[in-house]
Amino acid sequence: MISNHYDWEPGSPAPVIRRHSEVKHAILRSYLVDYFLTLVASPAQDRIRLTIVDGFCGGGCYQNSSGKKVPGSPIVILEAMREAQVRIMDLQQRRKNIDIDVELICIDESAAAIEYLRYELEAMGYGNELKAGRIRTITGTFKDLAPTVIARAKDRSRRSGRAIFVLDQYGYKAVPRSVLASIFDTLHHAEVILTFNVDSLINYLSPGTLAAFERTTGFTGAVSAADLDRSIRSPGWRVHIQSSLYANITTTSGASFFTPFFIRPERGHGDFWLLHLSRHWKARDVMATAHWRHHNHFGHYGLPGFGMLHTGYAAKLNPENSLQAAFEFDDLAKLASNNAMLSQIPSMLAKYPDGIPFGAFFLENINTTPATRKMVQDSILELVRGKEVHVFGETGQKLNVRTDLRDAHILRLPSQKSFQFI
Ligand SMILES: C[S@@+](CC[C@H](N)C(=O)[O-])C[C@H]1O[C@@H](n2cnc3c(N)ncnc32)[C@H](O)[C@@H]1O
């Protein structure tokens, strides 16, 4: 059996990185750079303050298949901060520096991994940050340390409650529901990037282990014993379990917005989920954009337009009850998304005979689509050009919008259209 675990032993070579970790690092880097660029939108801003918690940080480096050293997640985070700083200075032609005031807290239950990481950080020139406490390393389990680090993040950012938690557990047992809820209850602008091997979790689950899973994680009722009973499993049971787990984790986490995409599996390793949970649509949009950018490595089993999860995630089985090719975030997927939205949007708008503001329409449906805000806007504008949707201002005047929809713009079907859908 292929081991899914990495070990760091001080003085020994770093473990060989596997593809899913490389993909995860690429998206983490890309997401963080975009996150900082989005946060520092104005040249007048001179500081952003937040805490990043790498809750399962590992030893900070790996070797790739050609023996070259490659960074682990704590170093990826630090490099992304530096890259963002350079890009902000350049894009905004700033004279004054932008102060990215991040405290990075690295947690691992393995003392050996933490020792490896500290050595690596020193070797990479981060010794001063370690001394000054801008990078902290702690040995212990994430669950036990969560209350302390959540309080620390809140203390550093009382008003905005800005923090990112990178939680890279192996199976799903080390991030209880109550900890996610506490993160989102305490920190107004919290985000969680949660990765785990969903197939290894499903392999572990059985009618006998279900109660222990529910006790440890607090995700009760996500999966039934019947779902797991080998003798009465339904066709497509794995997809069904993935779908119910997803629904249970996201709806009980306390987050408002999600992306549910998986890292396309490498042979023998099964699906890795990369769930992004946040309380703000913009954060979700930045993550969805990163998925489209790294389309080679990501997929989801759902449908291209809206309703991808309600109907798509579990139901996307072909007549032989095997999984259809997953949605791949490529140009074809983009086209399919646009086509699906062109046919779905008019019937969705038919529910609102008086119209609905674009912002509200978008927020209502964002969690059910792989599309970004820009993609939804482009599809609506195509319908506007085809006179299938009309746009009105807040005071009721009809507008001729060509490029940018504002949140307050009211979308409405032409009257005979709305009649057709009633
Ligand atoms: C997948 S590796 C981490 C890799 C790292 N995030 C990266 O991308 O480079 C998982 C790490 O989590 C640690 N770990 C496992 N269970 C843990 C727990 N309950 N709390 C904190 N760390 C844990 C392991 O010792 C291991 O170093």
Side-chain angles (χ1 to χ4, degrees):
M1 184 178 141
I2 303 167
S3 164
N4 271 324
H5 288 240
Y6 292 119
D7 284 313
W8 286 270
E9 270 309 319
S12 302
V16 175
I17 193 164
R18 286 194 307 273
R19 183 181 155 274
H20 68 84
S21 298
E22 288 176 325
V23 173
K24 200 168 56 196
H25 291 160
I27 200 128
L28 180 62
R29 185 187 298 274
S30 162
Y31 176 72
L32 287 176
V33 171
D34 287 353
Y35 174 95
F36 290 119
L37 292 182
T38 310
L39 270 190
V40 188
S42 146
Q45 218 172 323
D46 50 21
R47 189 168 83 137
I48 41 169
R49 183 163 230 236
L50 68 141
T51 304
I52 302 184
V53 178
D54 190 344
F56 298 77
C57 64
C61 81
Y62 299 83
Q63 43 182 322
N64 67 12
S65 52
S66 4
K68 190 170 164 262
K69 195 163 111 175
V70 290
S73 55
I75 312 269
V76 168
I77 293 167
L78 293 164
E79 288 177 351
M81 281 160 50
R82 283 194 177 164
E83 183 182 334
Q85 186 149 26
V86 171
R87 296 224 349 233
I88 290 167
M89 295 302 293
D90 185 44
L91 280 172
Q92 299 181 351
Q93 295 287 300
R94 283 170 170 257
R95 275 190 229 112
K96 201 165 161 226
N97 234 331
I98 172 78
D99 176 13
I100 299 189
D101 176 9
V102 171
E103 182 170 300
L104 172 62
I105 304 178
C106 302
I107 297 172
D108 202 293
E109 68 172 8
S110 154
I114 290 289
E115 192 183 328
Y116 211 106
L117 171 65
R118 291 188 68 92
Y119 180 86
E120 199 49 37
L121 286 166
E122 293 277 359
M124 302 274 299
Y126 292 102
N128 282 341
E129 277 87 341
L130 274 172
K131 271 192 214 92
R134 284 192 295 278
I135 305 175
R136 294 175 191 271
T137 59
I138 317 179
T139 304
T141 65
F142 172 69
K143 180 180 153 213
D144 290 347
L145 291 163
T148 313
V149 293
I150 294 169
R152 173 69 187 155
K154 177 76 184 167
D155 228 31
R156 294 193 73 244
S157 168
R158 291 227 142 255
R159 242 175 348 127
S160 68
R162 217 176 270 293
I164 301 178
F165 289 74
V166 180
L167 304 179
D168 184 19
Q169 53 188 328
Y170 289 121
Y172 200 123
K173 61 178 190 323
V175 183
R177 193 199 66 76
S178 55
V179 171
L180 292 177
S182 163
I183 291 173
F184 289 111
D185 274 356
T186 315
L187 298 159
H188 187 57
H189 281 91
E191 297 182 33
V192 173
I193 300 173
L194 193 61
T195 43
F196 62 98
N197 185 322
V198 67
D199 276 329
S200 91
L201 169 63
I202 293 175
N203 291 342
Y204 154 80
L205 286 175
S206 70
T209 56
L210 183 58
F213 167 76
E214 291 191 339
R215 239 189 347 268
T216 327
T217 63
F219 292 113
T220 44
V223 182
S224 74
D227 290 331
L228 300 167
D229 186 337
R230 280 171 184 278
S231 59
I232 51 170
R233 268 178 198 165
S234 60
W237 67 280
R238 265 181 189 277
V239 185
H240 170 67
I241 291 178
Q242 286 212 17
S243 165
S244 355
L245 261 177
Y246 169 76
N248 199 286
I249 294 174
T250 51
T251 52
T252 63
S253 65
S256 317
F257 299 103
F258 331 109
T259 62
F261 309 127
F262 65 83
I263 299 173
R264 280 156 63 185
E266 54 197 319
R267 266 173 86 81
H269 286 281
D271 280 358
F272 265 84
W273 266 2
L274 193 153
L275 300 187
H276 175 247
L277 312 174
S278 62
R279 292 190 58 187
H280 289 268
W281 74 265
K282 185 70 194 165
R284 194 264 182 206
D285 215 47
V286 172
M287 183 52 104
T289 307
H291 280 90
W292 284 96
R293 189 176 308 134
H294 292 268
H295 65 85
N296 287 338
H297 306 299
F298 283 91
H300 84 88
Y301 289 128
L303 301 173
F306 294 105
M308 68 168 171
L309 300 165
H310 300 305
T311 53
Y313 203 88
K316 196 167 170 69
L317 297 175
N318 64 22
E320 287 81 48
N321 279 324
S322 60
L323 209 58
Q324 287 181 0
F327 177 100
E328 293 189 349
F329 291 93
D330 54 6
D331 286 347
L332 274 178
K334 204 169 250 175
L335 195 66
S337 278
N338 186 37
N339 285 339
M341 287 192 285
L342 291 178
S343 72
Q344 290 170 327
I345 289 168
S347 49
M348 291 161 82
L349 290 178
K351 285 194 290 180
Y352 306 96
D354 297 332
I356 175 168
F358 170 59
F361 176 80
F362 176 70
L363 289 187
E364 229 171 66
N365 295 294
I366 180 174
N367 281 323
T368 76
T369 176
T372 61
R373 185 183 195 275
K374 164 103 177 53
M375 290 165 67
V376 176
Q377 170 183 276
D378 288 350
S379 298
I380 293 176
L381 288 175
E382 198 172 326
L383 290 165
V384 171
R385 283 193 298 277
K387 303 199 177 352
E388 293 187 62
V389 171
H390 289 169
V391 181
F392 296 87
E394 280 166 280
T395 48
Q397 75 284 24
K398 187 156 178 288
L399 302 174
N400 187 13
V401 179
R402 299 259 155 225
T403 48
D404 275 319
L405 279 171
R406 299 221 189 101
D407 282 351
H409 283 157
I410 310 284
L411 308 176
R412 207 169 72 202
L413 294 179
S415 28
Q416 70 275 27
K417 279 268 178 196
S418 55
F419 185 69
Q420 268 178 19
F421 284 108
I422 289 171

